[in-house]
């Protein structure tokens, strides 16, 4: 065992040679008379206990290294030297040269040996490998080792590893730094490429600045090295065989990353600045835009795909995700991309994951990283079975400022990166003005991720050369900082000067590189400079999307359903299900008998099984999705003896695709974003996210607003994601009643998604199967379902086997037990979801209901206008039309359906509202008040000659 290993596991092995002999002598004295031993040493013996056998043997054999003088140092000096070395490692970053503007005061107190009561002579009496086992051969003693550590830990790259609790990881990281293995020699060819790239990065920004005066671009200047960092990271990753690199970033620097990392042609970017047509421009090799939405987005929100090919064979795909101005929310989306790219979903069971297939790179802002709660949510996903991606690499693009807010006003920590310490993520701080140090940081990040499959963070510290945008004047709020910035040379200038001074490049060579970049930019601009702005036009979706979904066959033969059903309750040999649950599930065998019915959860399992049989993979996640919040699903069973898990959907004989179900952390925003990303990257997969209660989806509103509802219109980003949101008023109070149906309807337009509230298990079965069948069609769209709670086991909601084998999804449903004499019907009550089921139950108990019909609107959006209009025509003596709902009048579906029902109503009839009055809170907190209100609504709806609330 080496000294460094011993330090990690045996405190006695921090001593060697004469020092060890001295400590052993003192231990003998301690055993005889503890009071005669130095207090510090006595405390050491009390805590550490006796020396191990191999320590004793080391003294006997005498094979440990000796100090140069043979003199034994006092115990306190030895311990102080050890503490000094450890504190250089732990606190060297406080004294490091990591700030380009030199604004931050450096703290060198922890690394001066005088603070520890040591002299240079004391340190020279200690072997070098006692202080730094990985030091170079020319480091001869403890003093030189200390100087070596100081030099390592205080230069333009600094390290924070002490919060990493895994001893093996911490030792590996330390060795990589102190051995110099993370600092490979940079060849001249690499330096030339770095210089060229820095010229391209700066030249591009300056060209935009002088050509498109006053236009926003959110320039990268001050963090120019972000681009070569991405170059190096992608190059190393792809060379190691990774086929997908997925990047998340906000708007700052995005245009530069698009141009130089993703290869978006300058001509295309220039044309976007001048609003001129760019469809005829030839993209650079392997680069294809993904911004094909009909309403579009600003240029610094757009993403891109790039294919890296070799010998006409695709080698890798690089994706920069579209991202609106919600900054950090794109992080979990990109991790969802990466998980989807890593998984093989072609066989039954859980998908097979290969983390080497994909890398997620998440670029953060220094104000947003500690400020946005989705960041810790995303870190929390990083090691969870259902979400880990084998480690993401995080980069903080650190401007040292927010919009106009300085760091001391935007966070309570020293560094923007400190949040990551809670997740034991290794952190490297690097000065953005040192490109070669940046390359070393990339090298360490990639090697750590490859070895340990965990997240790594690079804090790239620079500045922002202009204001938040190019129309902003930062001198108004940060006069001192910008006085420094205006005098500070660019990284291109600094690096060119360094290369010239070292003699590796001449001034003419450096000048030639800059001229070539300028020429390339000028030529690109010349090719589009004559283009006139594109004529404005109506932003309409493609006709195939406006037309809506085609008719889709979703029925499954009774024979196939029976076969599936029998397999679902066959436990593997040796598996012992929970006794009570086993009986409940076994009763499902009776569902296909003469009087049998299939409830909601059973219908869902049959839908999943039949979808797997069709070859469509499924992924379902949510806070309690394996069992189901209401103990209804039980798709992942637990052995009652040994706790082992088993899913019947993993062993179906006829399944042709994978099935993944995972309980999620208590998180909505990051998990929903992750599932959206997974679905975008695996469009053939039926991806479902389930809220524990529908109300909890409020927390994820930004994902609904900015991505799921609008992503296709803005960026052409297709999604078939399914969201299951438990909804219904059972007297459980305002936070366990409403999934805020009104919000989804308010966002509904251009066939952007389907919003459904269903009244039967068969309807759920068919809409799931329909969703699975449209996943890879042009008309695909997300699906929002208000799912039941108390209704899960209601037999009025259950369906017969024939409704599965012969039926199909219906956008509205007339109650079969009512309206048998259409001419006698005087009142029609429209409703949706749970209330429909309750109204049907109540109407069934009434004697004379010929005058009444109850129609359930199952698919609220797109609203089935034509079908409803036609259905109403047969009720020729209709006198009243009501809309009944549980939700307050300003919530639920009322404001959405009212104009549509009025337009569909025959003659002079208009729709009347029945329900709760307008409220600020979605539901009552008192169950008795709730019960009275619920009874009032239902009584009013089905009692003849009773006027509703206007």
């Amino acid at each position: 065992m080496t000294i460094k290993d011993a330090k990690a596991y045996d405190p006695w092995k921090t001593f060697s040679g004469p020092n060890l002999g001295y400590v052993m002598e003192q231990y003998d004295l301690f055993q005889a008379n503890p009071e005669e031993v130095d207090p510090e040493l006595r405390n050491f013996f009390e805590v550490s206990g006796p020396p191990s056998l191999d320590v004793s043997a080391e003294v006997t054999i005498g094979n440990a290294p000796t100090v140069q003088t043979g003199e034994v140092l006092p115990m306190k000096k030895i311990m102080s030297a050890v503490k000094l070395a450890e504190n250089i490692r732990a606190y060297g970053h406080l004294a490091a040269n990591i700030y380009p503007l030199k604004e931050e005061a450096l703290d060198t107190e922890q690394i001066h040996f005088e603070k520890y009561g040591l002299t240079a002579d004391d340190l020279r009496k200690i072997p070098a490998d006692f202080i730094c086992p990985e030091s170079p051969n020319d480091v001869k003693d403890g003093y030189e080792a200390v100087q070596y550590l100081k030099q390592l830990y205080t230069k333009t790259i600094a390290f924070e590893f002490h919060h990493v609790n895994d001893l093996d990881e911490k030792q590996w990281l330390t060795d990589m730094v102190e051995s110099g293995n993370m600092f490979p020699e940079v060849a001249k060819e690499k330096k030339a490429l770095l210089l060229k790239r820095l010229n391209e990065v700066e030249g591009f920004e300056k060209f935009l600045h002088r050509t498109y005066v006053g236009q926003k671009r959110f320039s990268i200047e001050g963090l120019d090295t972000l681009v070569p960092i991405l170059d190096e990271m992608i190059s190393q990753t792809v060379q190691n065989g990774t086929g997908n690199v997925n990047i998340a970033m906000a708007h700052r620097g995005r245009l530069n990353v698009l141009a130089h990392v993703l290869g978006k042609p300058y001509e295309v970017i220039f044309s976007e600045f001048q609003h001129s047509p760019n469809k005829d421009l030839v993209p650079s090799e392997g680069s294809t835009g993904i911004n094909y939405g009909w309403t579009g987005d600003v240029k610094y929100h757009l993403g891109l795909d790039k294919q890296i090919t070799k010998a006409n064979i695709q080698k890798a795909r690089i994706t920069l995700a579209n991202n609106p101005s919600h900054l950090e929310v794109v992080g979990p989306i990109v991790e969802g991309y990466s998980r989807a790219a890593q998984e093989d979903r072609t066989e039954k069971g859980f998908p097979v994951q290969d983390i080497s297939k994909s890398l997620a790179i998440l670029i953060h802002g220094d104000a947003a990283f500690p400020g946005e709660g989705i960041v810790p949510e995303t870190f929390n996903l990083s090691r969870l079975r259902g979400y880990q991606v084998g480690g993401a690499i995080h980069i903080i693009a650190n401007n040292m400022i927010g919009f106009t807010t300085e760091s001391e006003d935007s966070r309570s920590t020293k560094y923007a990166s400190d949040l990551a310490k809670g997740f034991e993520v290794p952190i490297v701080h690097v000065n953005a003005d040192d490109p070669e140090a940046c390359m070393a940081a990339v090298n360490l990040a990639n090697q750590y991720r490859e070895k340990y499959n965990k997240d790594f963070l690079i804090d790239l510290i620079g500045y922002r050369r202009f204001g938040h945008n190019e129309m902003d004047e930062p001198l108004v709020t940060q006069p001192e900082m910008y006085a420094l910035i205006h005098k500070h040379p660019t990284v291109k200038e600094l690096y060119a000067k360094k290369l010239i001074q070292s003699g590796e490049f001449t001034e003419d060579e450096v000048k030639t590189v800059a001229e070539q970049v300028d020429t390339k930019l000028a030529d690109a601009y010349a090719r589009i400079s004559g283009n006139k702005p594109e004529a404005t036009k109506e932003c309409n979706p493609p006709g195939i999307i406006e037309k809506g979904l085609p008719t889709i066959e979703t029925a499954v033969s009774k024979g196939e359903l029976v076969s599936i059903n029998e397999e679902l309750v066959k436990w593997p040999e040796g598996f012992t299900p929970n006794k009570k649950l086993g009986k409940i599930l076994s009763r499902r065998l009776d569902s296909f008998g003469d009087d049998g019915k299939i409830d909601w959860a059973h219908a869902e399992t049959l839908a999943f099984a039949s979808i797997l049989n069709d070859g469509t993979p499924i992924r379902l996640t949510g806070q309690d999705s394996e069992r189901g919040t209401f103990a209804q699903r039980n798709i992942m069973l637990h052995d009652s003896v040994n706790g082992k898990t088993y899913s019947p959907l993993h062993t179906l004989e006829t399944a042709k695709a994978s099935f993944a179900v995972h309980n999620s952390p208590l998180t909505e925003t990051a998990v929903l974003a992750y599932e959206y990303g997974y679905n975008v990257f695996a469009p053939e997969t039926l991806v479902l996210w389930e809220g524990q209660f529908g109300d909890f989806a409020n927390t994820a509103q930004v994902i609904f607003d900015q991505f799921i509802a609008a992503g296709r219109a803005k960026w052409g980003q297709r999604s078939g994601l399914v969201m299951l949101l438990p909804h219904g008023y059972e007297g459980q109070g305002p936070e366990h009643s409403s999934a805020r149906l009104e919000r989804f309807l308010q966002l509904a337009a251009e066939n952007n998604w389907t919003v459904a509230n269903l009244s039967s298990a068969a309807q759920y079965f068919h809409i799931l199967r329909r969703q699975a069948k449209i996943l890879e069609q042009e008309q695909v769209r997300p699906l929002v379902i208000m799912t039941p709670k108390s209704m899960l086991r209601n037999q009025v909601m259950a369906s017969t086997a024939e409704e599965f084998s012969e039926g199909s999804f219906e956008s509205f449903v007339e109650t079969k037990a009512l309206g048998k004499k259409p001419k006698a019907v005087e009142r029609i009550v429209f409703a949706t979801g749970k209330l429909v089921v309750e109204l049907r139950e109540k109407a069934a108990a009434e004697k004379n209901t010929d005058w009444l019909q109850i129609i359930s609107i199952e698919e609220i959006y797109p609203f089935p206008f034509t079908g409803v209009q036609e259905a109403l025509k047969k009720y020729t003596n209709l006198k009243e039309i009501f809309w009944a709902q549980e939700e307050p009048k300003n919530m639920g579906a009322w404001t959405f359906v009212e104009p549509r029902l009025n337009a569909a109503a025959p003659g002079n009839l208009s729709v009347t509202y029945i329900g709760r009055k307008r409220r600020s809170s979605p539901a009552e907190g008192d169950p008795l008040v709730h019960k009275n209100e619920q009874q009032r609504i239902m009584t009013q709806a089905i009692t003849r000659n009773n006027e509703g609330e206007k």
Side-chain angles (χ1 to χ4, degrees):
M1 180 179 283
T2 64
I3 292 175
K4 62 179 182 182
D5 292 329
K7 285 180 183 177
Y9 299 102
D10 185 348
W12 275 90
K13 292 195 174 180
T14 56
F15 307 108
S16 59
N19 297 317
L20 178 58
Y22 168 76
V23 175
M24 291 287 284
E25 287 176 5
Q26 290 295 301
Y27 183 71
D28 290 338
L29 181 60
F30 167 78
Q31 288 181 302
N33 189 356
E35 296 304 318
E36 293 188 22
V37 177
D38 178 86
E40 273 195 63
L41 198 52
R42 185 168 66 241
N43 180 66
F44 173 79
F45 294 146
E46 289 169 349
V47 172
S48 304
S52 59
L53 291 175
D54 53 337
V55 169
S56 300
E58 190 172 310
V59 174
T60 303
I61 297 169
N63 60 356
T66 59
V67 294
Q68 289 179 347
T69 64
E71 180 183 342
V72 176
L73 285 175
M75 179 62 190
K76 190 170 184 179
K77 296 273 189 181
I78 297 168
M79 297 186 75
S80 294
V82 172
K83 188 174 182 180
L84 167 63
E86 286 306 302
N87 281 357
I88 292 171
R89 296 180 177 105
Y91 302 111
H93 59 88
L94 298 174
N97 179 24
I98 53 176
Y99 301 102
L101 298 180
K102 317 293 185 197
E103 272 194 310
E104 299 291 316
L106 301 183
D107 179 1
T108 61
E109 184 180 358
Q110 297 290 338
I111 64 172
H112 290 318
F113 56 76
E114 294 87 353
K115 175 182 169 61
Y116 300 85
L118 295 168
T119 66
D121 189 54
D122 291 334
L123 291 171
R124 287 195 176 96
K125 294 173 184 176
I126 299 175
D129 64 355
F130 191 94
I131 300 296
C132 180
E134 295 292 340
S135 60
N137 292 332
D138 59 353
V139 174
K140 301 303 182 183
D141 55 41
Y143 175 79
E144 291 184 8
V146 165
Q147 298 308 311
Y148 175 70
L149 289 178
K150 281 187 181 182
Q151 182 269 332
L152 272 180
Y153 285 98
T154 64
K155 51 186 180 179
T156 52
I157 183 168
F159 311 93
E160 289 194 89
F161 303 149
H162 266 54
H163 55 278
V164 177
N165 289 327
D166 185 283
L167 293 174
D168 179 65
E169 288 181 36
K170 187 184 293 186
Q171 188 65 59
W172 182 87
L173 288 162
T174 301
D175 290 352
M176 285 292 291
V177 175
E178 296 179 14
S179 67
N181 288 339
M182 69 163 286
F183 302 103
E185 185 178 347
V186 182
K188 183 175 180 179
E189 293 78 7
K190 186 73 165 282
K191 293 178 180 180
L193 289 173
L194 269 174
L195 180 63
K196 180 185 177 185
R197 183 59 101 196
L198 292 172
N199 271 274
E200 290 172 336
V201 170
E202 181 179 313
F204 174 75
E205 296 288 359
K206 286 186 172 179
F207 186 89
L208 293 178
H209 193 65
R210 63 176 179 266
T211 306
Y212 302 105
V213 178
Q215 289 204 46
K216 293 181 183 179
R217 70 180 193 277
F218 297 98
S219 102
I220 202 172
E221 291 162 281
L223 287 170
D224 307 51
T225 41
L226 177 63
V227 171
I229 280 176
L230 291 174
D231 288 338
E232 183 69 11
M233 199 168 283
I234 292 168
S235 174
Q236 288 188 16
T237 302
V238 172
Q239 286 177 29
N240 289 338
T242 297
N244 283 271
V245 178
N246 303 302
I247 306 170
M249 73 179 299
H251 42 272
R252 181 156 311 285
R254 177 175 281 256
L255 293 181
N256 219 303
V257 170
L258 282 168
H260 298 120
V261 179
L262 278 294
K264 186 171 184 176
Y266 291 151
E267 295 92 328
V268 176
I269 296 173
F270 296 161
S271 69
E272 289 169 352
F273 272 95
Q274 56 196 50
H275 315 290
S276 59
N278 60 25
K279 296 180 179 61
D280 295 330
L281 295 174
V282 179
S284 63
E285 185 176 352
S287 185
T288 56
I290 54 176
N291 49 310
Y292 296 128
W294 49 91
T295 60
D297 202 346
V298 291
K299 49 192 164 289
Y300 39 80
H301 289 172
L302 301 178
L304 198 71
D305 264 5
K306 178 181 180 180
Q307 310 297 334
I308 298 176
T309 59
K310 188 174 183 179
N312 296 322
I313 298 173
Q314 180 180 326
K315 190 174 179 182
R317 172 186 178 184
I318 304 172
T319 300
L320 175 64
N322 301 296
N323 188 19
S325 289
H326 280 277
L327 303 174
E328 302 292 338
V329 293
V330 75
I333 289 174
V334 161
E335 294 209 359
Y337 285 3
S338 296
R339 179 66 175 249
Q342 291 171 356
E343 290 190 335
D344 180 354
R345 296 171 287 275
T346 59
E347 302 290 337
K348 59 184 163 186
F350 277 110
V352 178
Q353 185 183 10
D354 179 354
I355 61 172
S356 69
K357 288 184 176 179
S358 180
L359 168 66
I361 302 173
L362 277 53
I363 304 171
H364 310 270
D366 57 294
F369 188 84
E372 298 285 349
I374 197 167
V375 175
E377 287 184 18
T378 306
F379 273 115
N380 189 47
L381 299 178
S382 66
R383 299 182 196 175
L384 302 183
R385 180 182 55 179
Y387 304 91
Q388 58 84 14
V389 293
I393 295 180
H394 302 259
I395 303 169
I396 296 179
N398 195 338
N399 300 293
M400 301 295 290
I401 193 172
F403 190 147
T404 63
T405 304
E406 296 186 51
S407 300
E408 58 265 29
D409 292 323
S410 68
R411 65 174 187 262
S412 297
T413 58
K414 177 172 180 59
Y415 295 115
S417 57
D418 284 341
L419 169 72
K421 292 179 182 178
F423 298 90
E424 298 183 43
V425 176
I427 299 167
V428 169
H429 307 281
V430 62
N431 189 319
D433 274 357
D434 187 343
E436 293 179 19
C438 292
M439 296 304 99
V442 172
N443 188 45
L444 183 63
N446 278 335
Q447 289 195 55
Y448 175 83
R449 191 246 178 193
E450 186 176 344
K451 184 173 179 64
Y452 293 106
N453 308 138
K454 292 181 179 179
D455 288 24
F456 192 97
L457 173 59
I458 297 173
D459 181 17
L460 179 66
I461 301 176
Y463 55 92
R464 190 184 67 196
R465 187 157 286 276
F466 298 102
H468 177 67
N469 61 64
E470 288 67 34
M471 299 165 68
D472 183 46
E473 177 49 80
L475 281 168
V476 173
T477 50
Q478 276 77 33
E480 292 177 305
M481 174 186 279
Y482 276 86
L484 291 174
I485 290 172
H486 291 163
K487 294 183 289 186
H488 191 74
T490 66
V491 63
K492 179 204 78 172
E493 293 167 347
L494 291 170
Y495 194 55
K497 183 178 179 181
K498 176 184 174 182
L499 295 178
I500 292 169
Q501 288 177 341
S502 68
E504 294 172 279
F505 289 82
T506 65
E507 290 189 17
D508 286 343
E509 288 174 323
V510 168
K511 185 178 178 182
T512 298
V513 172
E515 289 172 348
Q516 289 172 344
V517 168
D518 289 343
T519 299
K520 184 178 179 182
L521 288 161
D523 290 347
Y525 179 72
R527 285 193 284 274
I528 57 97
S529 59
N531 293 356
K532 295 181 180 179
E534 198 170 32
T536 58
K537 60 181 185 297
E538 202 63 36
C539 297
N540 293 320
I544 193 169
I545 293 175
E546 287 189 310
K547 190 176 180 181
L549 297 181
T551 301
I552 296 173
E553 177 60 49
T554 56
V556 177
S557 71
K558 189 171 182 179
E560 183 179 344
L561 290 172
V562 170
S563 177
I564 289 171
N565 199 46
E566 290 174 351
E567 279 199 76
L568 292 175
V569 290
K570 286 181 181 177
W571 323 126
E573 186 176 344
F575 185 85
T576 308
N578 175 275
K579 190 173 182 180
K580 183 178 179 181
L581 178 59
K583 287 181 179 179
I584 293 172
L585 294 176
S586 294
R587 280 194 219 116
R588 291 180 174 180
L589 290 171
D590 303 327
S591 301
F592 288 87
D594 293 339
D595 298 321
K597 278 198 166 186
I598 298 168
D599 66 17
W600 183 276
H602 190 188
E604 178 187 74
T605 307
L606 292 172
F608 287 165
S610 65
I611 289 167
L612 295 173
N613 285 354
D614 292 340
T616 298
I618 298 172
R619 176 182 166 90
L620 166 65
T621 72
Q623 282 155 18
D624 298 280
S625 289
E626 292 183 5
R627 189 198 75 167
T629 298
F630 311 100
Q632 85 282 7
R633 178 172 292 119
N634 297 297
I635 206 65
M636 183 64 71
L637 305 178
H638 295 255
D639 191 295
S640 62
V641 177
N642 56 32
K644 291 183 178 179
T645 57
Y646 154 75
S647 174
L649 293 182
H650 287 164
T651 56
L652 287 173
E653 189 175 329
T654 49
K656 301 182 186 70
S658 65
F659 175 75
V661 58
H662 298 288
N663 286 339
S664 77
L666 194 65
T667 299
E668 288 81 32
T669 311
V671 170
L672 178 60
Y674 188 102
E675 302 307 334
Y676 172 76
Y678 191 105
N679 175 239
V680 167
F681 232 70
E684 83 293 352
T685 304
L686 183 66
V687 181
L688 307 97
W689 173 74
E690 181 174 55
Q692 190 177 54
F693 285 85
D695 317 58
F696 300 172
N698 287 350
T699 312
Q701 196 64 44
V702 63
I703 309 301
F704 292 113
D705 291 352
Q706 298 298 331
F707 292 91
I708 303 172
R712 187 146 193 203
K714 292 192 290 188
W715 316 307
Q717 190 158 283
R718 295 193 299 177
S719 169
L721 181 65
V722 180
M723 290 140 283
L724 307 176
L725 305 176
H727 173 84
Y729 283 54
E730 283 95 5
Q732 296 301 311
E735 272 67 62
H736 291 83
S737 297
S738 176
R740 296 289 191 173
L741 173 60
E742 64 278 0
R743 294 182 180 173
F744 297 97
L745 295 174
Q746 185 181 31
L747 291 168
E750 300 178 316
N751 285 331
N752 62 327
W753 56 19
T754 298
V755 181
N757 194 11
L758 312 175
S759 63
S760 78
Q763 283 282 86
Y764 184 42
F765 174 88
H766 288 296
I767 202 170
L768 286 177
R769 285 187 49 77
R770 184 182 77 172
Q771 190 70 9
K773 286 179 176 288
I774 67 169
L775 287 172
E776 296 190 84
Q777 293 189 22
E778 191 64 27
Q779 300 97 323
V780 66
R781 59 196 185 203
L783 170 62
V784 180
I785 305 180
M786 304 287 116
T787 58
K789 296 179 289 184
S790 64
M791 295 285 107
L792 285 166
R793 296 171 178 85
N794 190 307
Q795 287 302 295
V796 178
M797 188 171 245
S799 304
T800 64
E802 286 69 31
E803 291 177 90
F804 295 82
S805 60
E806 298 173 9
S808 61
F809 179 74
E810 299 177 55
S811 56
F812 68 98
V813 176
E814 299 175 70
T815 303
K816 293 179 182 178
L818 301 173
K820 293 180 179 179
K821 299 176 182 178
K823 291 183 179 180
V825 172
E826 296 179 359
R827 176 187 294 181
I828 289 179
V829 178
F830 286 94
T832 185
K834 168 179 170 284
L835 189 61
V836 166
V837 179
E838 292 181 327
L839 288 172
R840 286 172 180 165
E841 279 188 295
K842 193 169 182 66
E846 301 291 318
K847 291 182 179 179
N848 177 21
T849 54
D850 287 348
W851 60 277
L852 176 68
Q853 174 59 287
I854 298 171
I855 299 179
S856 172
I857 302 297
E858 305 277 305
E859 184 177 86
I860 309 172
Y861 183 81
F863 189 79
F865 179 83
T866 302
V868 168
Q869 189 177 48
E870 286 300 312
L872 291 176
K873 288 180 180 178
K874 63 176 175 283
Y875 302 109
T876 54
N877 291 313
L878 192 60
K879 297 177 181 177
E880 299 174 307
I881 299 176
F882 289 96
W883 172 263
Q885 68 177 39
E886 303 178 295
E887 303 88 351
K889 193 173 185 180
N890 55 319
M891 302 177 195
W894 166 243
T895 55
F896 181 85
V897 301
E898 179 192 14
R900 292 162 176 83
L901 286 176
N902 278 329
N908 295 320
L909 291 176
S910 60
V911 64
T912 300
Y913 172 83
I914 299 176
R916 288 169 169 81
K917 68 178 186 179
R918 298 174 68 86
R919 295 277 192 187
S920 56
S921 175
E924 307 89 357
D926 189 319
L928 295 179
V929 175
H930 157 79
K931 185 176 180 180
N932 290 338
E933 276 291 270
Q934 203 76 355
Q935 286 300 318
R936 176 189 65 78
I937 292 167
M938 290 193 290
T939 300
Q940 188 176 347
I942 67 168
T943 300
R944 202 166 191 175
N945 300 321
N946 192 25
E947 289 290 324
E949 181 189 342
K950 296 293 183 183

